[in-house]
Amino acid sequence: MADQTIVFKERQRFRQVWLWVLILGIASIFIAGFISQVILGGEFGNRPMADIQLAIMTALVGIGLPLFFYKMSLTTEVMPDKLNVRFWPFHLKPVTINLHDLRDFEAVTYNPIMEYGGWGIRWGFKGKAYNVHGNQGVKLYFYKGEPLLIGSQKPDELFDALTKARGLVVEG
């Protein structure tokens, strides 16, 4: 079994300003409603919901939604025999790609919206993508199956690490 030394590791989070403005804007509406209705005793909106319903919605949307996006992350690890990709919380365990299954790979600049429909775990006409920010990454080509794009803020380092790790694999 090959040495499990990590050759490259990157953790990315959603950090687009427009996304955080949207998320915090939605959250602030629920928090303002909670303060207005539950704490100050007024009514929030034309048809106010019960205080307990508003409290639950505020916990879910006002606190839970921003916390969910804050904690969400894409972790990429390159080791001598494998590539691990974990999009938390959707992957409880990393997706493991054996390097000997790769036919080729390349550092790419891509259009996340036009080619994959946005950021996240995405499927498009050009294959599957794991990305959270930006328009750069490394595209993996397999002997069998569709290509996979791994978004990265350090695509050249990821490419170099894959090249190095592939050279470290001892053929058995």
Side-chain angles (χ1 to χ4, degrees):
M1 184 161 169
D3 181 19
Q4 294 302 302
T5 304
I6 295 174
V7 178
F8 173 85
K9 183 173 184 174
E10 179 181 24
R11 172 173 267 148
Q12 302 175 76
R13 297 184 186 275
F14 285 100
R15 58 181 192 175
Q16 295 90 326
V17 172
W18 65 268
L19 178 65
W20 282 103
V21 167
L22 180 66
I23 290 169
L24 294 176
I26 292 169
S28 67
I29 291 169
F30 283 88
I31 292 169
F34 180 81
I35 292 170
S36 173
Q37 183 171 315
V38 177
I39 295 177
L40 300 178
E43 289 187 348
F44 185 69
N46 297 358
R47 297 179 359 197
M49 60 177 76
D51 288 355
I52 190 69
Q53 290 173 320
L54 184 57
I56 291 169
M57 291 301 295
T58 301
L60 291 174
V61 178
I63 298 167
L65 183 66
L67 185 61
F68 179 75
F69 271 89
Y70 177 75
K71 298 291 280 178
M72 196 180 312
S73 66
L74 173 64
T75 303
T76 307
E77 293 179 336
V78 178
M79 295 175 213
D81 60 343
K82 64 185 174 184
L83 166 66
N84 285 334
V85 181
R86 183 174 181 205
F87 203 123
W88 193 90
F90 304 106
H91 296 142
L92 298 179
K93 296 187 324 190
V95 173
T96 299
I97 299 164
N98 293 316
L99 295 183
H100 67 271
D101 292 338
L102 294 179
R103 178 176 46 84
D104 199 10
F105 49 89
E106 64 178 331
V108 295
T109 299
Y110 63 99
N111 185 324
I113 295 174
M114 295 299 292
E115 294 178 35
Y116 296 98
W119 294 270
I121 300 174
R122 311 300 296 192
W123 288 267
F125 294 114
K126 297 190 174 191
K128 188 175 183 179
Y130 296 126
N131 57 10
V132 294
H133 182 76
N135 65 346
Q136 295 184 321
V138 172
K139 194 163 193 177
L140 310 174
Y141 300 96
F142 298 92
Y143 288 109
K144 296 178 184 176
E146 294 288 316
L148 173 65
L149 175 81
I150 309 293
S152 176
Q153 300 306 299
K154 305 172 187 176
D156 294 330
E157 289 179 40
L158 177 54
F159 177 85
D160 291 344
L162 285 168
T163 303
K164 178 181 176 184
R166 204 172 194 195
L168 295 174
V169 175
V170 177
E171 298 297 327

